[in-house]
Amino acid sequence: MEKLKLITLYADFRKDLAYIEKELERSVESTSPVIRQASLHLLRAGGKRIRPIFVILASKFGTYSLEDVAKVAVSLELVHMASLVHDDVIDDSDMRRGFETVKSRWDNRIAMYTGDFIFSRALTAMGDIEIPEVHQLFAETMLEICKGEIIQIDHQRKTNQTIRDYLRRIKRKTALLLSSSCELGALVSRTDSSIVGSLRRFGYFAGMAFQIVDDILDITSTDEKLGKPAGSDLLNGHLTLPVLYIKDDLKFKPYLERSFDGTLTEMEREEMLVYIRSSGAIQKAQAVSDVYLRKALDEIDALPEGDAKKAFKQIAAFIGKRKY
Amino acid sequence: MEKLKLITLYADFRKDLAYIEKELERSVESTSPVIRQASLHLLRAGGKRIRPIFVILASKFGTYSLEDVAKVAVSLELVHMASLVHDDVIDDSDMRRGFETVKSRWDNRIAMYTGDFIFSRALTAMGDIEIPEVHQLFAETMLEICKGEIIQIDHQRKTNQTIRDYLRRIKRKTALLLSSSCELGALVSRTDSSIVGSLRRFGYFAGMAFQIVDDILDITSTDEKLGKPAGSDLLNGHLTLPVLYIKDDLKFKPYLERSFDGTLTEMEREEMLVYIRSSGAIQKAQAVSDVYLRKALDEIDALPEGDAKKAFKQIAAFIGKRKY
């Protein structure tokens, strides 16, 4: 049902999204067959294209030019894709969204350079936009994402983390890119500066909620819907919000340790998931997500009425309820 | 003796280079201790800072502003550094310039993200330069370098390469970044467009010569001077120009095969180096380098007289004669 809702929502902007999708494909064309194949493989594995959607919607509050909007949207989606390829190397992941990862289908070296190539294409995609603030914000966003990924490595397989550590990590991992998607969309359409702040903050709060829900789904959803094993975050050594609420539980501790040292059996993984799901940790994490979502909705209220505002509201509602 | 000459040459611009060096150190500051350590380790391992020098000299033909020149110089040196960190992952190299590599001192994952971090810092370093052409050219340069690195992987351990393959590879690996160093230096100081082309071509030709000499030195120099084993290119599966001239020699072939499959003994490595050195292949490669150097010097002739022109001539002479 949620899936349908998302498609309906996107329908209003389907033409513009289709154009962006084409530009995305065009952007990863390359004379090197390996790069082209690896990039297209990645592109076709899909994703929700939330960053392009945020760019489109935010741009609607200014003077909308599809051509410029598409450049920014392509750039941001490419940055996201590139960071996923590198994440898969770090996590040694074989599957993502039901598709083999680049590092699994090819190898780590190809994945590293495919990521580098896509990062570079992200740069050239909006290289000719003549608004200095756009380049500055884009550069700062990339930097923070990279810092976030190193922090993620620092934290990996460490059990002495706090909720504060987690929130800082997902801010850099997800919220900043969504926040910048809104802000860059607004900037490229030269939106009135009084609105830019609300859009940026909306993206940030929605991004925080989105990532928390994502981390909840990693526990509550099925392998099939996730396109990878449920509990992957734990198996990869990442402590997420629901798990932080249960990590000191004496019955849970052995599962945590075995997840982190790679000795968890398949049966134990299933037991562990059942245990977390029934522990109340999910509800606590959901409550934090709801706070962020509330804040996101408050920011939307400040925006001028129109289709874009309506769509942002629907997206916020979708994030709160999504099951995949 | 050459070392002395390089230092003398750089002396005229020592103050500006020192400022750029400070900015480089500042640029890799990070709240993550691992990133800071890995980046500083890399920075302190040194290098000739040829990219910053090219930026400074090219800028001298326009309206020189050290602050802007430093931003571009820092960006380009960081791109170079980042690509080296990722190269070391690909080549599985433990030593570079006599220092442990990041991937050896830490691990491949840290090296990948340190590279990503440094790439991002390269972006922010010149993020606020308000000349659209600068961002566009920078983005295109990064893209070509990445493509070059994937081609390098494609070619690795393949013996059926041509000289044309080699020249295209080093164009992307080295010459383009030096060419862009000159062009970006010229652009940022708003140099007369009639000169920009000569500067760009000078950088390109000098870069080709520089890389060929680098590849010759990998065969003719000592482990000590190189800071890594002589013959490393071969051991890493890279065919360079001197080796291309001898690769079908029947006595050489077994060495080549054993280099590429990793079974070459230490004694055979030494025999192989002696064999290449005495084969005439070095002279042939040197002759190609000289042709590029001649072209580089021709481009310099077209430039207005002054200290910068003199310095470019000295650099060209240094490239032709360098022993390290």
Side-chain angles (χ1 to χ4, degrees), chain A residues 301-317:
Chain A
D301 281 341
L303 297 175
E305 298 302 324
D307 283 355
K309 178 172 179 164
K310 250 194 281 180
F312 268 143
K313 271 191 189 165
Q314 284 178 283
I315 288 177

Side-chain angles (χ1 to χ4, degrees), chain B residues 174 187 233:
Chain B
T174 305
L187 288 175
D233 287 335

Side-chain angles (χ1 to χ4, degrees), chain B residues 14 34 53 62 91-92 176 183 188 195 207 226 246 306 316:
Chain B
R14 194 175 285 164
V34 181
I53 285 281
D91 287 343
D92 203 21
L176 270 175
E183 190 169 0
V188 82
I195 306 178
L226 291 167
I246 193 179

Side-chain angles (χ1 to χ4, degrees), chain B residues 124-137:
Chain B
T124 53
M126 54 162 224
D128 63 351
I129 291 205
E130 302 205 349
I131 304 173
E133 293 85 356
V134 166
H135 296 285
Q136 221 170 327
L137 177 59

Side-chain angles (χ1 to χ4, degrees), chain A residues 62-204:
Chain A
T63 311
Y64 190 85
S65 142
L66 177 57
E67 205 184 321
D68 284 350
V69 168
K71 284 173 190 167
V72 171
V74 165
S75 272
L76 290 165
E77 189 67 8
L78 290 175
V79 167
H80 172 60
M81 278 171 56
S83 73
L84 294 184
V85 190
H86 282 187
D87 279 353
D88 289 335
V89 174
I90 296 297
D91 287 344
D92 203 21
S93 301
D94 291 326
M95 296 296 281
R96 178 181 288 276
R97 298 178 189 144
F99 285 81
E100 256 182 306
T101 58
V102 173
K103 73 122 237 147
S104 159
R105 180 124 162 205
W106 288 273
D107 62 29
N108 277 337
R109 303 179 321 156
I110 298 290
M112 187 169 85
Y113 275 117
T114 302
D116 288 357
F117 167 75
I118 297 174
F119 269 132
S120 310
R121 286 305 281 131
L123 280 190
T124 52
M126 54 162 226
D128 63 351
I129 291 207
E130 301 206 349
I131 304 173
E133 293 84 358
V134 166
H135 296 286
Q136 220 169 327
L137 177 59
F138 180 77
E140 280 159 21
T141 307
M142 285 239 341
L143 181 61
E144 291 302 318
I145 291 171
C146 282
K147 283 185 189 170
E149 287 176 333
I150 309 240
I151 293 170
Q152 183 153 329
I153 300 178
D154 282 351
H155 287 177
Q156 209 173 9
R157 280 176 248 287
K158 299 227 171 76
T159 54
N160 60 342
Q161 288 174 53
T162 63
I163 290 178
R164 198 192 168 94
D165 289 328
Y166 167 81
L167 294 174
R168 271 151 127 183
R169 206 166 65 226
I170 67 166
K171 171 183 163 186
R172 285 191 158 129
K173 179 192 166 95
T174 304
L176 269 175
L177 195 53
L178 286 175
S179 165
S180 294
S181 297
C182 288
E183 189 169 359
L184 286 169
L187 288 175
V188 81
S189 64
R190 300 178 194 273
T191 304
D192 197 282
S193 61
S194 64
I195 306 178
V196 176
S198 293
L199 287 165
R200 177 183 63 234
R201 287 187 297 272
F202 165 75
Y204 169 73

Side-chain angles (χ1 to χ4, degrees), chain A residues 143 146-151 154, chain B residues 27-42 102 106 110 113-118 121:
Chain A
L143 181 61
C146 282
K147 283 185 189 170
E149 287 176 333
I150 309 240
I151 293 170
D154 282 351
Chain B
S27 77
V28 298
E29 273 167 22
S30 163
T31 46
S32 160
V34 181
I35 298 192
R36 194 177 50 240
Q37 284 161 25
S39 305
L40 280 178
H41 172 77
L42 205 63
V102 173
W106 288 273
I110 298 288
Y113 275 118
T114 302
D116 287 358
F117 167 76
I118 297 175
R121 287 305 282 134

Side-chain angles (χ1 to χ4, degrees), chain A residues 31 50 76 82 115 154 164 169 183 186 188 193 236 244 247 253-254 257 261 264 270 275 305:
Chain A
T31 47
I50 288 181
L76 290 165
D154 282 351
R164 198 192 168 94
R169 206 166 65 226
E183 189 169 359
V188 81
S193 61
N236 290 331
L244 280 162
K247 79 178 172 67
K253 266 191 154 176
E257 281 158 17
D261 68 19
L264 199 77
E270 284 165 24
Y275 191 75
E305 298 302 324

